Amino acid sequence: MNILESWKSKIIFGYYCHPAFVEPEMPDAGFSVRLFANGAMLYQTYSLNIKSEPSIVQSDRVTLREGTMSRITRTLAGYAKEIDALPGYTDNGSNDGSFCDFVFCGKYVSSLNIRRADPAEVMQDNPEYYEKYCFDMADESTILDIFTRITDAMKQEGVELYLRHLIVEGKEIY
């Protein structure tokens, strides 16, 4: 079960970082952030139960101010065409590590080990890789651009969201 997939129609922005390889009773199964249109942001950390289903370890919420929400919604509106064109999954050739799942205004996108790559550099250093993954590299860059703009807006509220970490009001959550 994917946390964000079940919430994608109710949130304007969501992020879920979780391991690609899971096993029953796994104590660290990632974290998620869900931002609702009213500014309520729910964040949770997870473990896995005996059936390898996520169980909530920690759950809390903060409310983002209207100005921050306006900045986030403007960012999402500015990227509306790009968001609509994103695939449901990006493939950069990774086989293990962590999934980074995103929701932007109802659009769900999953990426394994998402990263930003310089297309010109990749084309020069590894033309075969570039040929195979050039569209995925572009999609991952778009996802990271949107994510960065949203997380920059959240920082003024004391929420520091990174791909592998979450800090809220100075407290390390994950």
Side-chain angles (χ1 to χ4, degrees):
M1 177 181 104
N2 187 295
I3 304 300
L4 289 186
E5 184 70 34
S6 62
W7 282 85
K8 70 181 181 181
S9 65
K10 299 175 178 98
I11 57 179
I12 64 166
F13 168 71
Y15 180 68
Y16 180 29
C17 177
H18 56 101
F21 174 77
V22 298
E23 56 189 38
E25 298 182 333
M26 192 173 195
D28 178 2
F31 73 99
S32 72
V33 170
R34 285 170 270 171
L35 179 61
F36 297 85
N38 66 358
M41 188 188 89
L42 177 66
Y43 55 92
Q44 296 176 317
T45 62
Y46 305 96
S47 64
L48 297 181
N49 65 22
I50 192 82
K51 296 178 182 179
S52 295
E53 299 167 334
S55 298
I56 297 169
V57 173
Q58 177 183 2
S59 182
D60 210 341
R61 63 183 277 163
V62 295
T63 302
L64 303 183
R65 293 185 301 242
E66 189 176 318
T68 301
M69 289 303 297
S70 176
R71 189 171 162 196
I72 291 169
T73 56
R74 282 194 317 268
T75 295
L76 291 166
Y79 279 96
K81 285 184 180 181
E82 290 87 347
I83 290 169
D84 191 48
L86 288 172
Y89 178 74
T90 64
D91 179 9
N92 61 20
S94 292
N95 294 315
D96 61 7
S98 295
F99 277 101
C100 297
D101 298 340
F102 303 85
V103 170
F104 304 116
C105 295
K107 177 74 174 208
Y108 174 82
V109 183
S110 185
S111 298
L112 183 58
N113 296 321
I114 191 169
R115 62 181 177 260
R116 190 180 301 276
D118 178 354
E121 187 177 301
V122 173
M123 188 167 52
Q124 182 177 2
D125 295 344
N126 191 342
E128 296 83 20
Y129 181 91
Y130 176 83
E131 186 67 33
K132 186 171 183 178
Y133 298 110
C134 63
F135 295 110
D136 293 287
M137 286 190 299
D139 290 334
E140 286 185 350
S141 289
T142 298
I143 292 165
L144 291 172
D145 288 346
I146 300 165
F147 179 80
T148 300
R149 287 179 175 245
I150 291 170
T151 58
D152 283 351
M154 291 177 166
K155 284 179 184 170
Q156 67 189 15
E157 302 274 350
V159 176
E160 297 178 57
L161 175 60
Y162 305 96
L163 290 175
R164 308 273 189 275
H165 304 287
L166 174 63
I167 300 167
V168 178
E169 297 171 345
K171 181 181 175 192
E172 188 172 329
I173 305 302
Y174 191 89

